[in-house]
Amino acid sequence: MGRSEIDRIKQEIREELAIKAYREFTTNLALWLPTGTGKSAIALKCCKRFENPKVLIVLEKNVHKSNWEKEIQEFNPEVNPTFTHYNSLGNIKEDFDVIIFDEADCLITDERLQNALNINGRAIFLAARINNNKLKHLKRFYKFNEIQMSLFEAIHKGLLPKPTIRTYPIDLREDIMCIYEQGNNKSKKTIEVDYKDRFKKNVNLRIRCNQKEYYSLLINKYEYFKQLAKKDKYEGFMMTKYIKQGLDIKKWLDSLKLPLIEKLFKIKGRRLIFTSSIENTKLLGNAIHSENSDKENEALIEAFNNGSIDYIVSVGMLIRAMNLYNVEHSIIGTHTEDGIILEQMLGRSLRFEFPTIHIPYIRGTKDEEKLLNNLNRL
């Protein structure tokens, strides 16, 4: 199949989605469509149901505003929107013809939903994917029609390219030593012991161990908090400790990927790198993060899209609502349990004809388990 034929098929599918959305937009509308399928363009075309529409666009991050301004110029220049942030919904005191909720899963808190309901207007909810709990919560507040397509379906239909996914196992080492700190609230004394002596309970311990043993200690504590969190009398307190322990494990495992990410970073071509922390983005340079001003982040995105730089690095800011062009290689150094974030990271590369996705993982751990589950869902 030639390039022109592929482009024709993509255009036909996008037009079909836009026509269907326009027809369905007689009431509130949700577009659950993968990154790269043209959600924002479809939403702007739906605004044509109103003459000189008064439009409110609600953003997850202010840096996404410039992307919307470009989309408006291309797909519906009649729209002259008011922009606001989810945290500022309570400040909106006027009514609108259309309210576009970009990355609509960010709306799903009781306070934000209540503030949104105080603004009159026909809503369009946009997201690549939304988990079932958030969708149920949204449906408690709003009635809406839905148009949805999975990432797998979009790739299968030819709307998005099929990426090459390369995974890189990393083994926990027995020759690299760690210190695991095990507390005892009843003692002020701390001693250092070997892993085999870790069962001393009457003092605080600094346990000398290798990476495999360190992971075992972390995961045992995680499972302990998980069981306690299920008991009513501990539910709130232990749930917090359980979640924090899971995040601590993820942070440590992600940190072990950095040496491999630095090697993959040397691949030639246009690269998008997702790391687990702002500190790691700064090590690689061309970093998009919350400590930059909006102007600094926008300048980096523009420089990448116009070819002035050939790589860009982010923790979470580039996961959603940003158009990046011709990303040949995505290097994913972190991902989450439910697969939604991973899917959105993959989507950032799917505006290139032959994208390659590189994903390091820690073998024999929750990190491998999550990755395999997530990839199987796709």
Side-chain angles (χ1 to χ4, degrees):
M1 189 182 297
R3 177 77 262 158
S4 60
E5 180 65 10
I6 292 171
D7 289 341
R8 184 189 64 77
I9 291 171
K10 288 181 180 180
Q11 186 60 30
E12 283 183 0
I13 296 171
R14 289 193 174 99
E15 286 177 1
E16 287 173 8
L17 286 170
I19 291 168
K20 184 177 180 181
Y22 188 87
R23 288 173 179 165
E24 296 282 332
F25 191 46
T26 54
T27 183
N28 300 323
L29 177 66
L31 300 176
W32 314 130
L33 300 172
T35 300
T37 52
K39 291 185 296 295
S40 53
I42 293 170
L44 291 168
K45 289 174 182 177
C46 285
C47 293
K48 293 181 179 180
R49 272 197 168 272
F50 298 87
E51 187 175 349
N52 298 319
K54 188 177 181 183
V55 178
L56 175 68
I57 299 178
V58 187
L59 303 175
E60 178 197 11
K61 293 183 174 74
N62 291 328
V63 72
H64 299 156
K65 179 181 175 182
S66 61
N67 188 66
W68 271 99
E69 289 171 337
K70 291 175 183 175
E71 298 275 309
I72 288 166
Q73 288 305 309
E74 183 173 355
F75 297 108
N76 191 353
E78 292 182 4
V79 171
N80 183 22
T82 298
F83 287 99
T84 192
H85 188 277
Y86 281 101
N87 290 336
S88 304
L89 279 170
N91 299 330
I92 302 296
K93 305 301 180 185
E94 53 187 312
D95 298 336
F96 293 86
D97 297 313
V98 181
I99 307 170
I100 299 174
F101 294 98
D102 193 22
E103 305 302 340
D105 55 309
C106 296
L107 177 63
I108 317 301
T109 69
D110 285 348
E111 181 182 1
R112 288 179 175 182
L113 283 163
Q114 195 56 59
N115 287 334
L117 285 170
N118 289 332
I119 308 168
N120 290 323
R122 198 176 299 175
I124 303 178
F125 305 103
L126 304 181
R129 215 174 110 193
I130 186 168
N131 72 42
N132 288 332
N133 289 334
K134 287 188 174 183
L135 182 57
K136 288 177 184 177
H137 199 64
L138 182 62
K139 286 181 175 180
R140 285 176 51 207
F141 289 79
Y142 285 92
K143 292 182 178 179
F144 50 86
N145 295 327
E146 294 179 84
I147 296 175
Q148 53 190 319
M149 180 185 291
S150 68
L151 181 63
F152 174 82
E153 186 180 0
I155 292 171
H156 181 71
K157 287 184 173 183
L159 181 56
L160 297 175
K162 184 177 181 179
T164 298
I165 298 178
R166 295 177 179 169
T167 58
Y168 303 81
I170 300 170
D171 290 314
L172 293 175
R173 303 270 296 273
E174 295 183 357
D175 60 337
I176 295 180
M177 302 310 294
C178 308
I179 294 290
Y180 179 87
E181 295 187 352
Q182 182 170 290
N184 184 317
N185 293 332
K186 297 179 180 179
S187 176
K188 294 183 179 179
K189 183 179 179 181
T190 300
I191 63 172
E192 195 163 294
V193 298
D194 290 328
Y195 181 74
K196 62 182 175 61
D197 299 318
R198 66 191 182 280
F199 297 109
K200 294 182 179 182
K201 299 291 186 181
N202 58 341
V203 294
N204 300 302
L205 299 179
R206 285 171 51 83
I207 302 170
R208 294 184 293 266
C209 52
N210 61 41
Q211 285 184 344
K212 286 187 175 180
E213 293 165 340
Y214 187 81
Y215 177 74
S216 177
L217 290 166
L218 288 173
I219 208 69
N220 287 342
K221 191 173 182 180
Y222 172 82
E223 293 296 337
Y224 172 71
F225 287 149
K226 182 179 179 180
Q227 292 305 313
L228 286 181
K230 294 177 181 178
K231 298 181 179 180
D232 290 343
K233 64 178 180 178
Y234 294 124
E235 186 176 358
F237 176 68
M238 282 301 167
M239 181 60 71
T240 300
K241 294 179 81 68
Y242 161 61
I243 292 170
K244 182 181 183 303
Q245 183 68 9
L247 292 172
D248 287 345
I249 293 171
K250 179 181 180 299
K251 182 178 180 181
W252 181 67
L253 293 175
D254 283 346
S255 73
L256 302 181
K257 302 171 190 174
L258 187 57
L260 179 55
I261 289 170
E262 289 176 330
K263 289 181 180 179
L264 292 171
F265 171 72
K266 297 176 182 177
I267 293 171
K268 291 184 179 180
R270 290 173 55 77
R271 292 147 290 155
L272 168 60
I273 303 100
F274 291 105
T275 71
S276 59
S277 70
I278 290 176
E279 291 71 26
N280 289 344
T281 67
K282 292 177 180 177
L283 288 174
L284 299 175
N286 290 351
I288 302 285
H289 54 72
S290 57
E291 293 179 7
N292 287 347
S293 68
D294 287 344
K295 286 187 177 180
E296 288 173 314
N297 286 328
E298 287 171 9
L300 280 168
I301 294 165
E302 182 63 29
F304 181 80
N305 281 338
N306 68 27
S308 300
I309 58 176
D310 62 5
Y311 77 92
I312 197 164
V313 188
S314 174
V315 180
M317 245 182 206
L318 294 178
I319 291 174
R320 310 179 338 156
M322 296 302 305
N323 290 340
L324 297 176
Y325 299 106
N326 296 323
V327 177
E328 297 174 72
H329 299 275
S330 279
I331 301 167
I332 297 176
T334 184
H335 51 89
T336 57
E337 191 86 41
D338 63 8
I340 292 177
I341 299 297
L342 178 62
E343 186 173 314
Q344 290 171 325
M345 288 176 173
L346 289 173
R348 297 273 75 84
S349 287
L350 301 186
R351 287 185 172 90
F352 182 68
E353 189 175 0
F354 304 109
T356 302
I357 315 296
H358 307 265
I359 312 177
Y361 67 91
I362 311 301
R363 189 169 7 218
T365 69
K366 290 277 187 183
D367 191 59
E368 179 180 21
E369 183 183 318
K370 285 188 300 182
L371 178 61
L372 293 178
N373 287 341
N374 291 338
L375 291 179
N376 286 337
R377 287 193 192 113
L378 299 177

